[in-house]
Amino acid sequence: MASERLGEVISMKEEVIKKACSIAMKAHKLPEKQLYLVEKNRGSSDVIFSFPGSWTISDWFSRSPFGEKMIDPHPPQFASLRSIGNDQVATVNEAFLTRFQAILPQLQNEVVKAVAERKQIVFTGHSSAGPIAVLMTVWFLENWENFIKSDPSTSRMPPICVTFGSPLVGDFIINHALRRESWSHYFIHFVMRYDIVPRVLLAPLSSLEPELKTILDFLNPKCTIHIQEPTREASALYVTVMSNASSVASHAACHLMGNTNKLSDTLLSFIELSPYRPFGTYVFCTGDRELVVMKNPDAVLQILFYSSQLSSEVEGPEIALRSVKDHFNYQSELQNLETKGVAHFDNLEGLPLSSNVGAAGLGLVLNNLGLVSPFQDSFKICLSVLEVPLSVFFFLFFSPLD
């Protein structure tokens, strides 16, 4: 672990991150017919494109169980998002893809103009606008060489995608493709420790539809009616999502470890697992003075589950409601970004494998992320059930990708 400034770790200026977060929140207030927001200041080298979120279930799940769709290979919508070895195309969320396709024709001329002006292109989005920013960035990267060929004087700066509380977008092939193209580091995702939205697509629609509808109404910045705090719905949604996240995380850990435990295969015969997986760089906001940066998508998937666990049943309703409210706390969390410490986990060196890690340094960071005692005891129990040694599991978490 190394403690550095966030901008140094992710190669993005802190002021640009805060500006992107502010604009991402501002985009939620756009009129219905305005599909995107462009922010460019005189004298600035950055142009930020942001998108409004959607708060209807049909814009999150096009169908049951998970609303996914394979990218059309004829002609390819995203030629890069495929596994070359077995010629398999990526799967993405259909509702997000449909919104992207509706916005692109209006946006692309603005992007081409900004490139011609030699600007740094930043795509950003909060909540369900995050996936739109992701897909716009992939589109840009696939057309980047064409921009340069058409006008050699245009900007050669790659785009940046930064999301806040974004749900997952697609399957493991996206991560595979972005790493193959050396594009993965252009995608940066901020996630509050308890925010339920980045985890919600790990659960099938049928298991959460009534509760999700209420929660989306509660979160909708344009909602004109007063909605009481949805304590009951938040609790039900939290339990459902984390239960499904547990299944996905456990199966992924077994698969990565080459585990032969029959439990994993039996699980698949009873439960249909979500196809969605993380990619890019994740910045976990602990709610304290530390940020945790992780670039290993397999580790990120486990953190999305383990970091949101309860210390006791008593705190269940409180954490469940916080998992909803934290979804709009990114701007306040990142307000003093320059003063926050950054824990960047690269390897196993110095990582404690016992719960006696002390009250400062690495131990404090892991504790703030929910990965140290008292939760670590249940962490060990889970691993023992799966027959995965703790040391091996931590190797998965903190070993380099390459």
Side-chain angles (χ1 to χ4, degrees):
M1 184 193 81
S3 182
E4 307 170 68
R5 289 276 295 269
L6 180 62
E8 298 170 349
V9 173
I10 64 175
S11 301
M12 185 177 185
K13 296 177 181 178
E14 283 94 344
E15 58 264 31
V16 176
I17 296 171
K18 291 193 290 184
K19 186 192 300 184
C21 186
S22 174
I23 295 168
M25 297 300 177
K26 184 179 178 181
H28 290 315
K29 302 293 182 68
L30 291 176
E32 292 295 332
K33 293 184 179 181
Q34 189 173 341
L35 301 179
Y36 62 89
L37 179 65
V38 183
E39 185 81 12
K40 46 186 175 181
N41 298 320
R42 182 176 298 178
S44 173
S45 61
D46 306 304
V47 174
I48 301 178
F49 295 90
S50 186
F51 312 92
S54 177
W55 314 99
T56 60
I57 287 183
S58 61
D59 284 336
W60 292 62
F61 290 87
S62 61
R63 66 172 76 89
S64 288
F66 298 102
E68 75 275 24
K69 176 187 179 181
M70 293 182 67
I71 291 176
D72 188 357
H74 303 295
Q77 295 169 311
F78 293 101
S80 65
L81 298 185
R82 63 190 308 116
S83 174
I84 295 176
N86 56 16
D87 197 30
Q88 184 178 355
V89 298
T91 293
V92 298
N93 179 285
E94 184 177 23
F96 298 152
L97 178 63
T98 300
R99 288 177 59 206
F100 158 79
Q101 291 169 333
I103 296 170
L104 180 60
Q106 297 188 33
L107 181 70
Q108 55 187 350
N109 288 338
E110 290 260 21
V111 174
V112 171
K113 180 181 177 182
V115 172
E117 294 173 351
R118 305 179 67 83
K119 299 292 187 180
Q120 169 70 70
I121 307 298
V122 179
F123 295 106
T124 188
H126 168 257
S127 194
S128 60
I132 312 306
V134 165
L135 294 173
M136 285 293 177
T137 306
V138 176
W139 165 80
F140 183 98
L141 287 165
E142 289 194 348
N143 289 277
W144 189 17
E145 290 300 324
N146 293 332
F147 296 151
I148 295 174
K149 288 177 182 177
S150 63
D151 184 356
S153 67
T154 59
S155 171
R156 294 178 180 267
M157 289 186 290
I160 298 173
C161 176
V162 55
T163 73
F164 305 92
S166 173
L168 299 173
V169 181
D171 65 1
F172 73 97
I173 292 178
I174 294 183
N175 170 62
H176 169 81
L178 295 180
R179 288 180 58 195
R180 182 192 65 234
E181 301 292 336
S182 298
W183 292 346
S184 186
H185 58 287
Y186 300 139
F187 297 83
I188 302 164
H189 310 286
F190 284 83
V191 173
M192 297 287 287
R193 175 183 170 184
Y194 289 110
D195 185 359
I196 199 68
V197 170
R199 302 154 167 98
V200 76
L201 287 181
L202 295 175
L205 175 61
S206 60
S207 69
L208 49 67
E209 186 168 3
E211 292 80 15
L212 182 59
K213 181 182 184 304
T214 300
I215 296 302
L216 291 178
D217 288 340
F218 177 74
L219 291 173
N220 186 355
K222 295 182 180 178
C223 186
T224 57
I225 61 173
H226 174 72
I227 299 177
Q228 292 184 332
E229 289 188 347
T231 304
R232 181 185 64 81
E233 292 84 358
S235 295
L237 182 68
Y238 177 87
V239 170
T240 298
V241 170
M242 297 314 298
S243 174
N244 282 274
S246 172
S247 299
V248 173
S250 297
H251 179 263
C254 285
H255 177 74
L256 287 164
M257 295 300 106
N259 195 280
T260 58
N261 193 327
K262 297 295 183 181
L263 175 63
S264 179
D265 294 333
T266 303
L267 179 70
L268 287 178
S269 64
F270 290 98
I271 302 174
E272 187 169 10
L273 297 180
S274 170
Y276 300 109
R277 297 295 183 270
F279 60 85
T281 299
Y282 271 70
V283 182
F284 287 94
C285 307
T286 66
D288 197 44
R289 295 182 178 179
E290 292 284 347
L291 301 170
V292 177
V293 178
M294 304 194 80
K295 298 182 179 181
N296 185 324
D298 299 317
V300 169
L301 179 63
Q302 303 298 325
I303 291 287
L304 285 173
F305 170 62
Y306 283 105
S307 65
S308 292
Q309 296 305 293
L310 305 176
S311 298
S312 66
E313 292 185 8
V314 176
E315 65 177 10
E318 176 188 351
I319 295 299
L321 193 57
R322 180 177 173 181
S323 75
V324 173
K325 290 183 173 182
D326 267 4
H327 189 53
F328 268 95
N329 283 344
Y330 288 90
Q331 200 166 357
S332 59
E333 175 71 14
L334 301 177
Q335 188 173 7
N336 298 313
L337 193 56
E338 296 85 355
T339 65
K340 290 184 179 292
V342 179
H344 183 203
F345 293 105
D346 282 325
N347 50 55
L348 198 62
E349 183 180 356
L351 185 73
L353 298 184
S354 71
S355 56
N356 183 23
V357 294
L362 176 58
L364 181 60
V365 174
L366 293 178
N367 183 65
N368 288 339
L369 200 54
L371 301 181
V372 179
S373 182
F375 173 65
Q376 197 178 49
D377 292 336
S378 59
F379 196 36
K380 293 178 181 178
I381 292 171
C382 174
L383 297 179
S384 65
V385 169
L386 295 175
E387 298 179 1
V388 179
L390 185 62
S391 59
V392 174
F393 193 84
F394 272 115
F395 178 77
L396 160 68
F397 264 41
F398 301 106
S399 59
L401 283 171
D402 300 316

